[in-house]
Amino acid sequence: MNTLSYKTISANDATVDKNWVVVDAQSQILGRFASEVAKMLRGKHKPNFTPHVDCGDNVIVINAEKIRLTGKKWNEKVYVRHTGYPGGQRIATPKILMEKAPRTLVEKAVKGMLPKNRLGRKMYTNLYVYAGSEHPHSAQQPKEVKL
């Protein structure tokens, strides 16, 4: 057996193939849905996954306003942020966020599941979330993916 024929192929920016996919969030549970989207953004579903390269797909999420949360999380889960000023701690529940901007729930959940570095911020730019069922990316001919 020729052992030289078994080479580990490492992807780079030139050899990676990025696809466009559409994922429907209607009646999906937020955390489970976000983890699958994060895997797609990272590229872990591909055989040539390389940890230090952005080899994930461009993911379009539609129907973000129809996402589900289990239990009492609509009222009891809190998103905490700070303005930077003294006494500037702000708290929001998923119910409040959904009224203001429905896409933020999905965006925050997916962003929290990506790496916390330059590569993770680059991967996050490949996520496109829309509240309704329409999206402006039909020119890219995205494939429909069922989760």
Side-chain angles (χ1 to χ4, degrees):
M1 177 168 54
N2 185 5
T3 56
L4 296 176
S5 66
Y6 297 107
K7 297 267 188 198
T8 301
I9 298 169
S10 186
N12 59 30
D13 288 336
T15 60
V16 81
D17 61 329
K18 296 175 79 67
N19 302 318
W20 284 79
V21 295
V22 174
V23 186
D24 193 358
Q26 186 168 1
S27 70
Q28 297 278 341
I29 297 171
L30 179 63
R32 295 169 190 270
F33 177 76
S35 65
E36 291 298 320
V37 171
K39 280 183 210 167
M40 279 193 253
L41 283 171
R42 221 152 159 227
K44 291 194 106 173
H45 64 292
K46 294 184 176 182
N48 63 346
F49 168 69
T50 310
H52 65 277
V53 177
D54 180 14
C55 54
D57 293 334
N58 293 300
V59 181
I60 303 164
V61 177
I62 56 173
N63 291 323
E65 63 192 3
K66 296 176 182 163
I67 199 88
R68 279 181 34 213
L69 282 126
T70 57
K72 299 178 182 177
K73 291 188 193 113
W74 281 111
N75 296 316
E76 293 183 3
K77 181 177 173 61
V78 287
Y79 291 96
V80 182
R81 66 183 179 86
H82 200 282
T83 63
Y85 289 97
Q89 188 174 17
R90 303 289 183 254
I91 295 174
T93 63
K95 193 177 208 176
I96 294 168
L97 286 178
M98 188 60 91
E99 290 168 4
K100 286 185 180 178
R103 48 187 278 196
T104 54
L105 275 181
V106 176
E107 286 174 347
K108 281 178 176 286
V110 173
K111 189 173 188 174
M113 295 178 187
L114 291 174
K116 277 70 173 176
N117 54 26
R118 282 179 289 187
L119 184 61
R121 290 188 291 275
K122 172 108 171 48
M123 289 175 186
Y124 180 68
T125 62
N126 296 329
L127 176 67
Y128 303 91
V129 183
Y130 298 100
S133 59
E134 298 297 318
H135 64 85
H137 304 285
S138 56
Q140 281 74 29
Q141 299 168 347
K143 295 185 187 94
E144 182 88 23
V145 174
K146 299 277 185 203
L147 295 182

